[in-house]
């Protein structure tokens, strides 16, 4: 692995408790041969950039499974585009900024996200953030803080069990950022989450990347 990939994996370990296997892969050239037949069917017709992301994500996910002492397996795509993990295994995959990352464990759901640490355009702030979230940010680089809220909400969204997974928008979560963690409060029911429930996650910003993790 490259030094940059090793650094991303080390950051992932800081986001999650003991017992969670993590893996990172650089996103290279599109290569359908890196995929299993069930996975190739799910990504048939994809543009090269999407194929490259998908292949790197599945490679990282298989390495995470090996980290749990499990064999490398196909990870097909569910109707909602999430990966179908082996029975009893919870996992999450994300890709951005040249990397694919994956986390897995036995037991409760996990969520991970990775983004570049560039700011988000102001016209998108109201789509991602509630007025009170923007108010809490105060002075500073709001555009980059909004990106971190986006990354946090993505990790929470992914931390859902398949049987109770629900689609929901950014508007039902209110995120409060801290130095190395965040709190996300649900404003309405969503899947297995109840209104008023608070989910705690971790966040690390380094080397031009934002990484967030949630272990429910």
């Amino acid at each position: 692995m490259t030094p940059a990939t090793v650094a991303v994996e080390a950051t992932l370990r800081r986001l999650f408790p003991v017992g969670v296997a993590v893996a990172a892969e650089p996103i290279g050239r599109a290569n359908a041969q890196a995929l299993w037949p069930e996975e190739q069917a799910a990504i048939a017709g994809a543009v090269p950039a999407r194929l490259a992301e998908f292949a790197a994500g599945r490679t990282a996910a298989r390495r995470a499974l090996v980290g749990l002492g499990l064999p490398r397996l196909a990870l097909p795509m569910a109707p909602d585009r999430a990966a179908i993990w082996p029975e009893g295994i919870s996992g999450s995959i994300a890709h951005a900024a040249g990397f694919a990352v994956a986390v897995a464990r036995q037991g409760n759901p996990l969520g991970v996200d990775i983004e570049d640490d560039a700011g988000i355009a102001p016209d998108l702030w109201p789509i991602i953030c509630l007025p009170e979230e923007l108010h809490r940010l105060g002075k500073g680089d709001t555009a980059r803080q909004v990106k971190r809220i986006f990354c946090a909400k993505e990790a929470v969204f992914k931390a859902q069990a398949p049987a109770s997974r629900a689609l929901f928008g950014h508007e039902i979560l209110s995120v409060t950022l801290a130095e190395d963690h965040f709190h996300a409060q649900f404003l309405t029911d969503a899947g297995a989450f109840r209104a008023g429930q608070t989910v705690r996650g971790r966040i690390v910003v380094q080397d031009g990347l934002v990484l967030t993790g949630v272990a429910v």
Side-chain angles (χ1 to χ4, degrees):
M1 289 191 294
T2 66
T5 306
V6 171
V8 172
E9 282 200 3
T11 299
L12 286 172
R13 292 189 184 96
R14 292 166 55 191
L15 296 175
F16 293 95
V18 174
V20 175
V22 307
E25 287 287 328
I27 298 174
R29 299 179 62 181
N31 180 16
Q33 299 307 310
L35 299 173
W36 292 43
E38 303 95 314
E39 298 165 347
Q40 292 177 5
I43 203 72
V47 299
R50 170 59 179 152
L51 176 58
E53 291 177 342
F54 187 90
R58 288 311 193 266
T59 299
R62 276 187 268 280
R63 286 187 50 230
L65 290 176
V66 170
L68 295 177
L70 299 173
R72 299 176 189 270
L73 300 168
L75 296 167
M77 184 188 293
D80 64 357
R81 300 176 63 84
I84 300 175
W85 294 81
E87 185 71 27
I89 300 299
S90 296
S92 180
I93 302 170
H95 35 68
F99 293 97
V101 296
V103 297
R105 72 173 173 187
Q106 295 183 346
N108 292 339
L110 296 166
V112 69
D113 196 46
I114 181 171
E115 304 289 341
D116 63 70
D117 191 27
I120 287 181
D123 60 317
L124 297 177
W125 296 357
I127 299 174
I128 296 167
C129 294
L130 301 165
E132 57 266 33
E133 290 176 304
L134 291 173
H135 178 73
R136 282 197 296 268
L137 294 178
K139 298 179 180 180
D141 192 340
T142 303
R144 293 173 71 198
Q145 294 293 314
V146 170
K147 173 65 76 66
R148 295 167 194 183
I149 288 177
F150 173 83
C151 195
K153 291 185 178 184
E154 287 293 299
V156 173
F157 172 78
K158 293 177 181 180
Q160 299 187 77
S164 58
R165 189 180 292 132
L167 296 176
F168 53 80
H170 296 287
E171 72 281 355
I172 77 163
L173 280 173
S174 179
V175 169
T176 302
L177 296 174
E179 183 175 350
D180 63 351
H181 65 277
F182 64 87
H183 292 88
Q185 184 177 45
F186 280 84
L187 305 180
T188 64
D189 293 349
F193 297 112
R194 302 275 71 88
Q197 182 176 349
T198 297
V199 175
R200 188 179 189 276
R202 298 189 63 83
I203 181 168
V204 175
V205 182
Q206 68 177 38
D207 300 327
L209 298 173
V210 183
L211 291 107
T212 53
V214 172
V216 177

